[in-house]
Amino acid sequence: MRYLMRVFTVSIGIFLISPILHAVDKPNFILINVDDLGWTDLGCFGSKIYETPNIDDLAKNGMRFTDAYAACAVCSPTRAAIMTGRYPARVGVTDWIRARFQGGKIPNDKKNPMGWIGSKTNKVLCPKNALWMESEEITIAEQLKRVGYKTCHIGKWHLGADDWYPERQGFDENYGGCDYGQPPSYYDPFSNKRLKGINGLPGKKKGQYLTDRECDEALGFISRNKKAPFFIYFANYAVHTPIQAKVSLLDKYKSKINKLSSVKQRNAAYATMVESVDQAVGRIREKLSEYDLSKNTVIIFTSDNGGLLGPTNNAPLRSGKGYPYEGGIRVPLIVHWPGVIKAGGISSVPVSSVDYFPTICAAAGVALPSKSIIDGFDLKPLMEGKGSLNREDLFWHFPHYRGRVMPYTIIRSGSWKLIKRYDGKEYELFNLAQDIGESEELSNKMPEKIKELDAKISKWLKKTGAKVPKPNPNYAGNK
């Protein structure tokens, strides 16, 4: 009897402490995805204007990836890639999704648009873009919930309305995630003449800045879930338009810009928005420290596409958001992982948004979805300094006309980058190791390299089931 009581007591003890052991055993994850943040918009990535001491400290004590890429030059496709670990071409979201107020009406049959579109001025017909990411896609949140994680989405979702909100894709809590691609306003109650508020973020403190409010929700979630493993997708609406300054910081940046006449980043209001994100990162890290969670929390900091030309400048990279050049697709990436990454690490291995899903799943000890093809790679070997990735190429596919942007597919293979267009100049070839600014176009000098890379593109398009633009029979240029 004494033996049985002893076994019972030990069993109860194990049962009572098992949630704590579980929390220690599995790391927490905070994935920070800033909207439209450019590659050089951080101090640790070379900005002389924007002040980002908390993010810089992440890099100082973590790893900075110099050749990290968004999966697309615009937001929704990259966000789909982050959530699924799959190329946007495979998911079927290849352009930014129109919100309902922008004409993105949900069909009665709730089936995504199919077919092709194009005017007489377009040489090719392009596939209609999705209005949502299909529910069958498996997200990071859904995978982590399988092994006991609490999950929270904060900020911009932009992967569909209502039936496709974050809480329908594995998130326990959702603050701000809806079909909006940008906020109505950065000031509480986050409304404008057309839109009244943001889903999940009702007014609390009139005049409060949106980034601060998003951070408040993150701190609250951490406090409520400090004893269970958690995943926070902190998807800031900043620094997307409308460019609305955090007023308390504005005079500082106006003065700083006036004193530095040679710098190319000259928008003081935008600078305050960048610093608002940095302040949120600092507050989150303080909260983690308060609960002794810092050593067991992985922080991934990145952006969904390159910086928007006008509000910022991406030099030495060429161009910006929406364009196939490096300024449109190369983004900052910092990973802070105590015990795995040595402080001050730098990696120049090309990586992509599709890599976060398998990296997080591996770290959490959850298998990848058996019914989904995952395009990304686990980045932990890079972080540990144990080698490179068994991957030769990265791809992008944007089969749409957008302003001056023609439909295109891109491959980066080693230091070579080929842009293939379906209208206009067919090929542009660059050697990024020698020409990061893409100023010397080499297609006429290297036809064999074009042939080699174009063959890889064709193979990849077929492999992923990508929808490729096709000839427009009504194109005026044919007559």
Side-chain angles (χ1 to χ4, degrees):
M1 184 69 176
R2 184 181 299 170
Y3 172 78
L4 290 175
M5 286 296 293
R6 180 182 176 188
V7 171
F8 178 77
T9 302
V10 170
S11 300
I12 289 294
I14 292 174
F15 175 78
L16 289 174
I17 67 172
S18 60
I20 298 174
L21 290 175
H22 182 60
V24 172
D25 185 49
K26 293 188 179 298
N28 305 307
F29 300 97
I30 302 177
L31 174 50
I32 303 172
N33 183 27
V34 187
D35 196 4
D36 288 1
L37 187 76
W39 187 62
T40 55
D41 282 354
L42 305 174
C44 56
F45 275 83
S47 178
K48 303 299 183 185
I49 289 293
Y50 312 137
E51 296 180 16
T52 55
N54 295 297
I55 300 168
D56 296 347
D57 188 70
L58 275 181
K60 179 180 177 182
N61 292 284
M63 177 169 280
R64 185 166 59 90
F65 290 79
T66 62
D67 291 46
Y69 290 95
C72 186
V74 294
C75 50
S76 297
T78 297
R79 291 165 187 275
I82 289 173
M83 282 292 102
T84 65
R86 290 154 55 83
Y87 277 120
R90 200 187 293 280
V91 176
V93 177
T94 49
D95 195 2
W96 62 272
I97 293 174
R98 275 58 183 166
R100 284 166 294 190
F101 78 91
Q102 296 165 315
K105 183 179 179 181
I106 305 301
N108 292 332
D109 62 5
K110 293 190 176 180
K111 292 183 179 180
N112 252 319
M114 302 294 288
W116 303 82
I117 55 174
S119 70
K120 291 181 179 181
T121 60
N122 297 149
K123 183 178 180 180
V124 294
L125 297 176
C126 299
K128 293 181 179 180
N129 191 46
L131 289 172
W132 60 82
M133 183 177 74
E134 297 289 0
S135 301
E136 288 76 17
E137 295 290 341
I138 299 171
T139 68
I140 297 176
E142 288 171 316
Q143 282 300 96
L144 291 179
K145 282 181 68 65
R146 294 177 58 189
V147 290
Y149 276 77
K150 298 294 184 180
T151 57
C152 179
H153 175 277
I154 301 170
K156 176 173 168 175
W157 177 243
H158 209 192
L159 289 174
D162 297 342
D163 292 343
W164 301 276
Y165 277 176
E167 51 266 45
R168 301 293 186 95
Q169 290 272 205
F171 287 94
D172 296 317
E173 299 181 27
N174 172 29
Y175 303 98
C178 58
D179 61 338
Y180 291 177
Q182 63 189 75
S185 167
Y186 277 93
Y187 283 94
D188 186 311
F190 316 121
S191 298
N192 60 26
K193 293 180 180 179
R194 191 175 186 183
L195 300 170
K196 302 302 180 185
I198 302 173
N199 174 65
L201 285 174
K204 282 188 175 180
K205 303 176 184 176
K206 189 174 181 180
Q208 184 182 28
Y209 202 68
L210 178 55
T211 313
D212 295 338
R213 171 60 182 283
E214 290 168 330
C215 187
D216 287 349
E217 301 297 352
L219 302 186
F221 183 82
I222 292 169
S223 296
R224 294 190 299 275
N225 296 280
K226 55 184 176 291
K227 292 186 178 180
F230 60 77
F231 168 61
I232 299 175
Y233 182 39
F234 192 60
N236 306 76
Y237 274 103
V239 291
H240 197 290
T241 54
I243 304 303
Q244 294 179 335
K246 187 171 185 181
V247 176
S248 61
L249 301 172
L250 190 57
D251 287 344
K252 175 180 72 171
Y253 283 107
K254 285 182 177 179
S255 176
K256 188 173 184 179
I257 289 170
N258 287 335
K259 292 177 182 177
L260 297 172
S261 59
S262 62
V263 297
K264 295 181 178 180
Q265 296 173 329
R266 305 195 60 79
N267 189 314
Y270 183 87
T272 72
M273 299 175 78
V274 174
E275 186 171 342
S276 78
V277 173
D278 184 78
Q279 291 174 338
V281 171
R283 292 175 62 201
I284 288 171
R285 294 187 71 193
E286 287 177 1
K287 182 62 68 173
L288 293 174
S289 179
E290 177 184 338
Y291 293 128
D292 198 25
L293 296 173
S294 299
K295 292 182 179 179
N296 196 43
T297 300
V298 180
I299 300 176
I300 300 173
F301 181 97
T302 191
S303 174
D304 63 346
N305 49 247
L308 179 64
L309 294 179
T312 194
N313 188 293
N314 302 303
L317 304 185
R318 179 176 175 179
S319 198
K321 177 181 178 179
Y323 290 86
Y325 303 110
E326 292 294 284
I329 57 176
R330 194 182 292 213
V331 293
L333 172 62
I334 300 165
V335 181
H336 183 264
W337 193 345
V340 171
I341 295 175
K342 292 183 179 179
I346 298 175
S347 174
S348 60
V349 176
V351 300
S352 166
S353 309
V354 297
D355 297 324
Y356 309 145
F357 185 105
T359 301
I360 290 172
C361 286
V366 59
L368 296 177
S370 59
K371 296 182 180 180
S372 298
I373 296 173
I374 303 300
D375 294 301
F377 282 68
D378 179 6
L379 299 181
K380 189 176 180 181
L382 294 181
M383 300 175 195
E384 294 176 322
K386 293 183 178 179
S388 189
L389 302 178
N390 186 28
R391 174 172 61 197
E392 294 181 0
D393 311 309
L394 286 174
F395 297 90
W396 295 259
H397 184 55
F398 187 78
H400 309 282
Y401 290 95
R402 288 292 167 258
R404 291 181 292 176
V405 176
M406 301 295 182
Y408 62 79
T409 305
I410 307 170
I411 179 174
R412 173 166 175 176
S413 184
S415 62
W416 292 102
K417 176 181 175 182
L418 178 68
I419 302 171
K420 177 179 182 176
R421 289 187 178 85
Y422 300 90
D423 192 353
K425 181 176 174 57
E426 186 171 10
Y427 297 112
E428 285 189 291
L429 179 68
F430 303 99
N431 186 330
L432 296 177
Q434 300 174 4
D435 179 26
I436 193 173
E438 298 170 289
S439 59
E440 185 180 4
E441 204 281 292
L442 302 170
S443 61
N444 291 333
K445 298 178 181 179
M446 306 190 70
E448 290 303 313
K449 179 59 70 173
I450 296 288
K451 185 177 179 180
E452 172 197 338
L453 297 179
D454 194 21
K456 286 188 172 186
I457 284 176
S458 296
K459 183 177 180 180
W460 177 81
L461 290 170
K462 184 176 181 180
K463 178 182 176 182
T464 58
K467 294 180 180 178
V468 180
K470 60 185 183 180
N472 182 359
N474 297 316
Y475 175 49
N478 293 333
K479 300 176 181 179

